[in-house]
Amino acid sequence: MAHRWQVFLDNLWHAQLTRTVVRAGREVADLWVPTSCALCSRAGDRLCAQCAQELREEFSGLRTGEPVYSSFTLPDLREDIPVLGCGVYAHALARAILAYKNRQRYFLRSAFGPAMGVALEMMSTRYGPGDDLLVVPMPTSVRARSRRGFCPAHDILRFVVQQGWMPAHTRVRPILRYTVHGQFGGTQKGRTAQERRQGYGKFRAEPPACPAPTVILVDDVLTTGHTMKQAVFACQVAGYRVVGAVVLAVTPAPDNEVH
């Protein structure tokens, strides 16, 4: 019976009459609350067809197998931490991320979600289908959360999970928290490695449930990599093994090349 109702509702939603009613409802709503494109401010749609196409092209590297890669190294590590970017922080993608984070255009998560799902799949396959991976969103500071009202990495991953786009053998677990010093203190410049290990880091990670679980970090934008390094360091101290990171966009290097 439940299946029949599901089929009925699905057919109803995709019926021509339903689409006409929905379209008419949107047009009436636009008379009272006019909409504009989140990227170019053109009136009519929340995301116009031209900007939607440009945004899809920003993620074209994922489809062609040529995504944007970057990396960073911690002094205590012998190998680089690979970072897979869905695109470069420029043009339509940069405008979309800024609109999403700073102008409450939350619906853009539906544009980011498919790319994030593909990128996570690509990163997870580097470590074998039998490995259980923890996908860890980067936290948001109290100041940023109070200004925006949400955590971008958490929100995008929640949408990916809801749509069923998470790779097999992965699960989202927000293990990272800001420390008091990380929230309200200054930078770590000038502190010794011992002082950082004693709790002066920006983040803390909750204890793992099993020995050395494998982690993939997720964030919206990678700029200098400083914050990501802090997250890797916190995970390592707690006993996790960070094998990579996935971000929506990688900021180009000063010479306009992404390394």
Side-chain angles (χ1 to χ4, degrees):
M1 182 63 70
H3 175 71
R4 292 180 180 178
W5 273 107
Q6 183 178 0
V7 172
F8 171 75
L9 292 175
D10 185 65
N11 292 335
L12 180 62
W13 175 253
H14 291 91
Q16 180 63 39
L17 177 60
T18 302
R19 293 199 297 269
T20 302
V21 172
V22 170
R23 189 180 304 111
R26 288 177 178 172
E27 293 178 357
V28 171
D30 286 344
L31 294 175
W32 296 95
V33 184
T35 58
S36 61
C37 177
L39 275 62
C40 68
S41 300
R42 185 182 291 114
D45 293 304
R46 298 187 301 178
L47 185 63
C48 71
Q50 179 178 342
C51 288
Q53 178 61 30
E54 291 179 6
L55 193 55
R56 285 191 293 270
E57 291 175 356
E58 297 289 335
F59 298 137
S60 61
L62 294 174
R63 298 193 300 271
T64 61
E66 300 177 355
V68 179
Y69 275 102
S70 182
S71 65
F72 58 85
T73 305
L74 287 180
D76 295 340
L77 294 179
R78 295 183 180 180
E79 59 182 2
D80 291 344
I81 299 294
V83 181
L84 193 160
C86 298
V88 176
Y89 188 71
H91 312 302
L93 182 54
R95 296 196 303 272
I97 292 175
L98 288 174
Y100 169 67
K101 294 171 60 175
N102 300 331
R103 292 194 279 115
Q104 292 75 49
R105 306 308 292 268
Y106 304 128
F107 73 91
L108 286 169
R109 67 170 71 90
S110 62
F112 302 146
M116 179 60 72
V118 171
L120 285 170
E121 182 71 36
M122 295 176 69
M123 179 63 77
S124 67
T125 55
R126 293 165 61 100
Y127 305 99
D131 293 339
D132 289 328
L133 301 175
L134 295 182
V135 178
V136 177
M138 292 288 289
T140 297
S141 65
V142 171
R143 181 181 302 176
R145 193 178 186 93
S146 63
R147 183 175 69 252
R148 297 172 183 155
F150 72 112
C151 173
H154 285 246
D155 186 56
I156 294 171
L157 281 178
R158 187 181 303 112
F159 181 79
V160 173
V161 171
Q162 290 173 349
Q163 299 301 314
W165 295 334
M166 289 294 296
H169 306 287
T170 62
R171 55 193 175 95
V172 178
R173 187 177 173 191
I175 62 172
L176 288 170
R177 301 287 186 275
Y178 267 89
T179 63
V180 174
H181 176 81
Q183 292 279 10
F184 307 107
T187 65
Q188 296 204 94
K189 184 178 181 180
R191 299 190 183 277
T192 65
Q194 182 179 2
E195 287 174 330
R196 297 183 185 187
R197 290 184 186 278
Q198 289 175 343
Y200 289 101
K202 178 173 290 193
F203 304 109
R204 287 187 185 277
E206 64 184 48
C210 61
T214 306
V215 164
I216 295 176
L217 297 172
V218 171
D219 205 1
D220 52 354
V221 179
L222 179 75
T223 50
T224 63
H226 175 73
T227 301
M228 190 73 76
K229 290 179 183 179
Q230 295 282 340
V232 174
F233 181 78
C235 289
Q236 287 183 322
V237 170
Y240 297 88
R241 184 172 68 96
V242 180
V243 295
V246 173
V247 297
L248 273 180
V250 175
T251 300
D255 58 358
N256 294 325
E257 295 181 0
V258 178
H259 301 287

